[in-house]
Amino acid sequence: MKKNAGAWIKGLAKYGIGIGLLAYILRTNWDPKGTSPGISGLVQQTPDALAFLALALIAIACVCVQFYRWFVLVRALDLPFTVGGAFRLGLVGAFYNAFLPGSVGGDLVKAFFIARDTPGRRASAVATVIADRLVGLFGLIWFSAAFGGAYWLSGDARIADNDYMRKIVVACAGLTAGTVIVWIAMGFLPRSRADRFAGRLKHVPKLGATLAEAWYAVWTYRQRPKVIYLAVAMTAAVHLGFVLMFHLAVRVFPAVDPATLAEHFVVAPIGYIAQAFFPAPGGLGGGEFIFGYLYTLLGRPEATGVVGRLTMRVAEWGIGLVGLVVFLRMKAHHELPEEEPDAITANEVPMGPADQPAAAAPTGGAAG
């Protein structure tokens, strides 16, 4: 009872934080300021229906690519899975991410269901969700580094003459370089050392088997680089879509001097990264705050960035509602678990590839 009460209080607090911050942002940007028409002035205009339709279609295409990317990562570990399952669980995860503030996010929901269906390799199943998120995060970082660096070198004044933008580009470039170096170094790690490292992980109290199996999942991905390269390529397509979505979103309600596509290629990925760490459902409030702030760094009205992010959220909520329908159908057919998804603990993960290194870390091409 106390656990349930605590979860409810924590969930309501997250709702309160998100809604409270959003209300504050709307209030402070509602009235016109200088050259900015304010949020009130923007939303009173006739929206560009074609821009919103294009935004919605791109959003649908992006989530489809994301769901298929997860399917590819799961099959790379030789786990039983289908494209239909990836889409179904992906939509349920989208519903959780968009609307639910509990301790369990959409990623953990997906991890729970796939782990439940692969009881002998739960850690590997969960690792696929983590890998999917990390590939997506890496894509956002290198996207900002690549495009921001290109516009900086080309002399784009909004980037080259902006200290904050240059710092963002340099930070992203450093993180990208570090990740690539680690990835390359893992390729020179001999199998004997990988097995020895897994053996050491097995002796970690309570978490040993889970950590060892997760390590073998990472090792398998490194032995199948084509899978990761394909996932990164799909991620690039997704993030290109995300940038275009925000570029269109700030034009749904005609704004005063909206940012250029070049500027959005730099700031939009940073906004998506930052809002992912905000505790409210879907980053509500936090996303509007960061995109509004990034717009001020570009020397443009904060209200434009706020309204643009809110416009995108309408499309995201639409996808989340589709996920709700899938969720209710699964519940009606008793496919949902009785326990909470975050109930997966290290003690529940049976010994898997940590005991069978040869089977867990095969070499060669992608599975399936």
Side-chain angles (χ1 to χ4, degrees), residues 76-120:
L77 297 184
D78 296 320
L79 297 173
F81 205 38
T82 64
V83 175
F87 273 69
R88 186 174 62 159
L89 294 181
L91 285 169
V92 172
F95 160 61
Y96 269 76
N97 282 333
F99 297 112
L100 300 186
S103 60
V104 180
D107 284 345
L108 284 182
V109 171
K110 295 192 299 182
F112 179 90
F113 281 105
I114 190 172
R116 186 187 63 176
D117 294 335
T118 53

Side-chain angles (χ1 to χ4, degrees), residues 186-220:
M186 283 187 63
F188 292 98
L189 187 67
R191 175 58 185 272
S192 59
R193 286 180 176 267
D195 291 343
R196 194 177 306 131
F197 184 59
R200 292 174 180 173
L201 290 175
K202 285 174 58 179
H203 292 93
V204 176
K206 296 184 179 181
L207 297 175
T210 302
L211 293 175
E213 188 173 348
W215 162 250
Y216 273 121
V218 174
W219 175 255
T220 301

